[in-house]
Structures are given as structure tokens and as C-alpha cells.
Amino acid sequence: MALTMTTAAQKGASSEDITQVSVNMVIRQDPFNITLDASALLAVSVLLVIGMHFVDRVVLEFMIVFVPVVLLIHNDYLNFLKLGPGGTPPTFTGYARLTWYRLFTLRDPFSPPPRDPTALPSAGILSQRPLPYRPGPRPSVAGLAPQRQLNQPGSQQAYNQLRSSIETLTARLPQKFVTATSCLEKHGFALFSRHPINVCGNGEVCHIHTSDRSMHMNLHPDDIKEVLEKGWGQRHPMAWKGWVRAPVPTTFTMIYAPRDESDLRIVSKIIEAAIWYTTAEQVDIQTVSES
């Protein structure tokens, strides 16, 4: 199966990408809270007393429950919008669809998916040279689609080096790889295989989020286990397997943003593992500093 796309190098980076890459965005998620000053507390008390005398009991009970629920949904919707652009439209309809998916999300994103003995490739490649442990605590992560880091954003230099390295790879192997905007995220820089054996998003190998510089990619379950154990990422919450069809494969994994050149070298090896799972072919990615 061949993939035909306009490469990012051919059409140039969009103004949105340039703007987002140039700024370290702080992604906030505000907790739900209701603050009542003395006047508001007095008004609520008076309304409740009046309601108990002049409003039907069922209606009053409904209003007492309904108002906080509406405020909770409103706060949750605003937090969804604050995650920035992603694969889900930033509309209330898109938010409602994600709310449905929440019923089926993974309860433990740090456990690898089971292996399929009939799938190719038959094993991962990270065990050949095991990853070191990621220094420091894991970043805080929120959201489904989009899923983003709330802290520890990747550095500008690491992003530029990684993107340049991937573009160099596609220039070296144009018959095998191409870069374009992500099919899954609808935003952000992505690497595609022209002839994938495990197809996801038209052969998408990985994509980089321009807001926090984290990544999503598909990995062999063996390599997912290595990534999880060493602290370099976590599974996507919608990568479940069940009677409800998941929007993404069970192998869909979030890789944390590289903070420095040391992280970048490890993340490059993980991308090589994603290429292996997508194409069953080992390819070396040289970072700009290495080359």
C-alpha cells in the first residue's frame, strides 16, 4: 500500500505550528470549586427557605442537584478546551463524545497490552539495548483526545533537533517515509510510513504535539513494557480492548516530551521502535548533535 502526501518540507510549516513551537504553553486544568461570599451565602439561604415554602418539593430537589451538576460540566468543558487543539473538535459535541468514551478508558495506563502471537513483528527491539530509567518523577497528564502533559514541557531545542532528525530520515529514505500533518491529531508534525504492515492513521508512525512536545506512537507490546517500566511514557487511556471499539489501537502510547539532549537520544530510540512496529524494519535516527 503506497502513501502519497505533501511533505512538511514541501509545503512549509503552518503559521499555527510556528507560533506554537516558539512558545512554551502552560496547560492548566482548574479544579471544580464554588466560592460563596457573605452576600451570596445569604442569598442562597433565603432562596432555599422561600423555595421550601412556595416551590414543589420535587422541583426544589431537582434544582439543588441540577445547578451544581451544570457548573461541574461547565468547568470540565473549559478544562477540555484548555488542552488545546487535538483529534477531537473543540466543541460541546466533541466534548460529549469524549464523556461517553470515559466510561471505557484504561484503569491502569502503566500496564502493557497483551502480546498477539500471530501479529508481526513477533517481538520488540528495545530489549536489545534496554532503556535507562527516566530521571525525575513522571509528568502530570490529562485528557483523552487531546491527551497532554500539564508540566515538564519539552525544550524548544530538543523539539527542533527531533524534527530536523526526522526530516533528515525522510530525505535519506524518501521511498519509505514521508512527513506531514498528523492524521490522528489533525495538528502537529508527524512521520508516516509509505508501506506499513501495522496500519494506523494512514501509516502514521508518530506525531509530536506542538503545545507540550509530547508524542503519540504505536509500539510493540514488548517495547511498551520497557517504556512503562523505565518511566518514559504511558498508554493512551482510549487504547482499550473490549466490546466497544476503541478509537485507537491497544498499542497506542504517549511518550513524554524530551527535556534535554539526553532525553532526546532516548526518545529517538523509542521512535526507532515505533518504526520497527509499523514497518518491521530497523532504522537508525541520528539526532542533529550526533550527526
Side-chain angles (χ1 to χ4, degrees):
M1 185 182 80
L3 176 68
T4 302
M5 287 189 167
T6 302
T7 65
Q10 288 174 329
K11 69 178 184 179
S14 68
S15 58
E16 176 188 12
D17 285 345
I18 293 173
T19 301
Q20 288 182 319
V21 170
S22 64
V23 178
N24 266 330
M25 293 181 61
V26 177
I27 300 176
R28 293 176 50 192
Q29 294 287 273
D30 296 324
F32 174 65
N33 59 74
I34 299 176
T35 303
L36 298 177
D37 57 17
S39 300
L41 183 60
L42 177 61
V44 170
S45 300
V46 171
L47 290 175
L48 286 175
V49 172
I50 295 175
M52 285 187 291
H53 288 84
F54 297 102
V55 179
D56 184 77
R57 175 185 171 185
V58 175
V59 175
L60 182 62
E61 291 175 347
F62 174 78
M63 292 300 297
I64 292 174
V65 174
F66 178 75
V67 172
V69 168
V70 170
L71 294 176
L72 176 62
I73 293 174
H74 179 258
N75 181 77
D76 196 45
Y77 176 62
L78 292 180
N79 281 338
F80 160 68
L81 296 179
K82 289 173 185 175
L83 291 173
T88 304
T91 62
F92 192 79
T93 302
Y95 166 78
R97 186 173 62 180
L98 289 182
T99 302
W100 160 252
Y101 282 140
R102 284 180 182 176
L103 300 174
F104 312 99
T105 53
L106 292 176
R107 299 296 176 252
D108 182 10
F110 303 107
S111 295
R115 294 181 59 179
D116 182 356
T118 63
L120 294 176
S122 58
I125 61 171
L126 291 179
S127 60
Q128 299 173 8
R129 295 181 62 185
L131 302 176
Y133 285 93
R134 182 180 183 271
R138 294 177 183 270
S140 299
V141 176
L144 300 183
Q147 181 191 33
R148 296 290 186 266
Q149 289 181 209
L150 303 183
N151 56 4
Q152 302 183 32
S155 71
Q156 174 72 53
Q157 182 180 5
Y159 174 89
N160 292 341
Q161 288 182 345
L162 181 57
R163 179 162 179 162
S164 179
S165 299
I166 292 175
E167 289 173 340
T168 300
L169 172 67
T170 59
R172 179 162 52 95
L173 300 171
Q175 73 282 8
K176 296 180 180 180
F177 301 104
V178 65
T179 57
T181 301
S182 170
C183 289
L184 301 175
E185 278 279 329
K186 312 296 191 299
H187 305 84
F189 177 78
L191 172 67
F192 292 82
S193 167
R194 292 186 181 274
H195 308 287
I197 63 170
N198 286 305
V199 181
C200 176
N202 292 338
E204 186 170 315
V205 176
C206 68
H207 62 252
I208 309 173
H209 309 131
T210 50
S211 55
D212 61 352
R213 290 139 190 166
S214 65
M215 282 154 273
H216 280 127
M217 61 189 71
N218 282 294
L219 295 166
H220 190 279
D222 292 349
D223 292 334
I224 294 177
K225 183 174 184 293
E226 178 72 7
V227 165
L228 298 180
E229 289 180 350
K230 300 302 177 61
W232 292 98
Q234 62 189 68
R235 295 179 65 193
H236 193 280
M238 294 196 293
W240 69 75
K241 186 175 183 179
W243 62 275
V244 175
R245 183 179 178 182
V248 295
T250 58
T251 53
F252 205 57
T253 307
M254 176 188 224
I255 303 299
Y256 304 139
R259 299 160 294 183
D260 51 33
E261 197 166 301
S262 178
D263 281 4
L264 178 60
R265 286 193 292 269
I266 304 305
V267 168
S268 295
K269 296 302 177 186
I270 298 174
I271 294 176
E272 290 174 6
I275 293 173
W276 164 253
Y277 182 68
T278 305
T279 67
E281 182 176 355
Q282 288 191 253
V283 175
D284 290 330
I285 296 179
Q286 282 192 323
T287 62
V288 172
S289 60
E290 291 173 335
S291 58

